[in-house]
Every structure is written in structure tokens, then in C-alpha cells.
Amino acid sequence: MRPPVEVCVFLLSLLAPGVLYAMNNIPALQEPLPILGMGMVVLGSVLLLLLLAVRHKEKVDPLFYVFAEFSFTCMVGLINAFEQDGFISGFMGFYVKMGEPHLSTAYAVMMSYWEGVIHFVLFLTMIQCMFKGKSYRSLGLLWAGSSIAHQIVLIPGVVIGKYGSNIRPAFWRNMPFFLVPFWAASVLFSRPREMPVVTADKVAVEQKKSLLSRPLDLLLSLLLLGAIVFSIFRGFVVLDCPLDICFTYIYQYEPYLKDPVGFPRVTMLVYFFYALPLLAVFIYGLKTPGCSWMLDWTIFCAGALAQTQWCHIGASLHSRTPFTYRVPTDKWWPVITLNVLLAAVPSLLALRCHTNPAYFMKPVPKGQTNNGKKKN
């Protein structure tokens, strides 16, 4: 009797500590080019083992290989987080020194925790759903948003930050991890959405309600508007706006925004140019009935904002961030509250859209019941 595929992936991921420990104790593998080469060999070997693990399956979803391969790297990330925080040693020293020095930063440590816990659990859950014939599309979009946000902050942050002058060959192994989530997201978006069927009468009743008669949606719209204003303000702050309020904020409230590592600056610019328009479109979606795209994009955005805010908040408080750049103790509550709200609002919106999707659906023929399923 073969073990479930998700168990095989989990066990395969547990090989990561042994591989890292061996490489950390073999001097010949601790130079920049051998590190990159061995990294590619290890990932190729993992792919080969995955092919062997599912060779008896008639048809395998191509996203399985993405999720399973990334699961291995999640374990590597978790080991890095544990080592940088002093819980273990002897695994990542060679790689941080000669491969990717930026992995020792507070931002990278928080990113590694997110990958090693949240992404790892998502991967195993999606693989389980995949081989049991269940839909994992929503979980996949949550991961895609998180992963894409992670990469579009990490790679530019390294290049423009203080580690930009010390980029080693191993850094370029991030490029597949940058491109693959975009491909995976396009695959997931193109697949049909599975959701409960709602009667035409109920859809019509919900869509006749104005925003003022839907207090929850009105509150979410106001919170989204607040998130937009906060994102614009911090975008101006990192762009060195000369206004006194910007100067006061960056020096007295959130000095982490001027940390030379580059990640906080890139995060705020990503919010300014990408998240902000999406949040504005969500306000339109809450006001206009029949915007079925809200059911997908709110999940994607929730994953993206949750990941970036986890890293941003954690890094601004972490001991690896120089004391002068950490959030001042007396300003801790207002700064952290605003940042947590920014992470929570897209998640609350996604939850609202999926618990009561009638307002966002196109009308369906009468006679269908709420017990059925439909593809939309």
C-alpha cells in the first residue's frame, strides 16, 4: 500500500536539513558557482523523485510539481529562519555567506517563516485536494497572490538595497521562483470557478440593495478607502516627500521605511502602484452588482497583503533590524494597529465575498436550488 502523495511530499521535504548540513560541511561546495550548481542539481533531483512518486498515477496535474518542488524550498526557508534566530546552527552559514547574504536580514527571516509555515501547509493541503478530486482553486489563488507579492518585493529589494553590490550567482536561482507563480496564477484563473448555486430571486433581491442598505459592505468600502489613503501616504513618505507630516512619520513613527536594506521602500512602492488600484477597483465591485471577478481577485489580494504585511510588521520589530530603524516603543500601538488593519481588510473582504456571493453573481435561471453546484 502506497502512502498518500502529500505524505510523500512531506517526507521528501524533510531531506532538506540533511542536504544543507552536508553542503555546510563540504568546503568544495561553499564557493558561489558551486552553490548555484548544487542548488540546481538538488532541485532537479527532487523533481526526479517526484516523478517516481507519482509514476503510477494516470494523470497528474502539472501544478503538483510546482507545489511539491516549492514545498522542499519551504523547508529550506524554515531552516534559515530558525538558524538566523539562533534556534539551530550549522545548516545555512555557507549559503548566507557565499550565496544570498540578504537572507540574514529581518525581512528575509520573517519571509522564511511565512514560507516555511503558511506556504508549506497550503502546498500539502492543495496536493491532498488535488489527488482526492477536490477543488483547490481558491487556496491556489491565495498562495499565488502571496508568492507573487513575495517575489516582487524580494528581488527588486535586493537589487536596489544595500545588498545590491554583493549579488552572488546563487541569487539568480530566484528567477524561476519569480516566473512560475505568474504561470500558476494564470492557470488557476483560467479554470472554472466552483461555487454554490443561488436562486435567481435571491440574486435579484441582493443586487437591488444599494450600498447604504448593506452596512457590512459600506464598512468594508470605508476601510478600503482608508487603506488607499494610508498606501498613498506611505508611498509619498518613501519617495522623500518634503511635507512635515511625512518627515515626522518616517522619523518618529515608522523609521523602518528608511532602512537601507531596501525591502520596506519596495513594499510601499508595490502598494502605491499595484495594490492601491486593486483596492480602488474593489470599492467599485462592492458598489456595482454582478462583478463576479471579485470572488477571485479578493482572494489573490488577501494573500498578497497578508504576506507583505507579515514581513513588514515583523521586520520592523525584529532584533535583526538595527534599533534606530525599529518602531519606537511609544509609537508601537498606532503603527502596528494601522499595519494589521491593512493586512486584515483584504482578508475580511475576501471572506465576505465567499460567505455570501449572491451580490457578485450573474443571475441564474429560476428553479435552481442552493443545494446544487455550478461552474461560474
Side-chain angles (χ1 to χ4, degrees), residues 171-184:
F171 170 75
W172 300 108
R173 64 102 191 159
N174 287 294
M175 295 314 296
F177 295 96
F178 174 75
L179 297 173
V180 170
F182 283 96
W183 169 77

Side-chain angles (χ1 to χ4, degrees), residues 84-104:
Q84 301 309 319
D85 276 345
F87 297 115
I88 58 176
S89 62
F91 293 90
M92 293 292 295
F94 79 100
Y95 192 82
V96 171
K97 181 179 179 181
M98 302 302 294
E100 297 186 75
H102 64 272
L103 290 180
S104 63

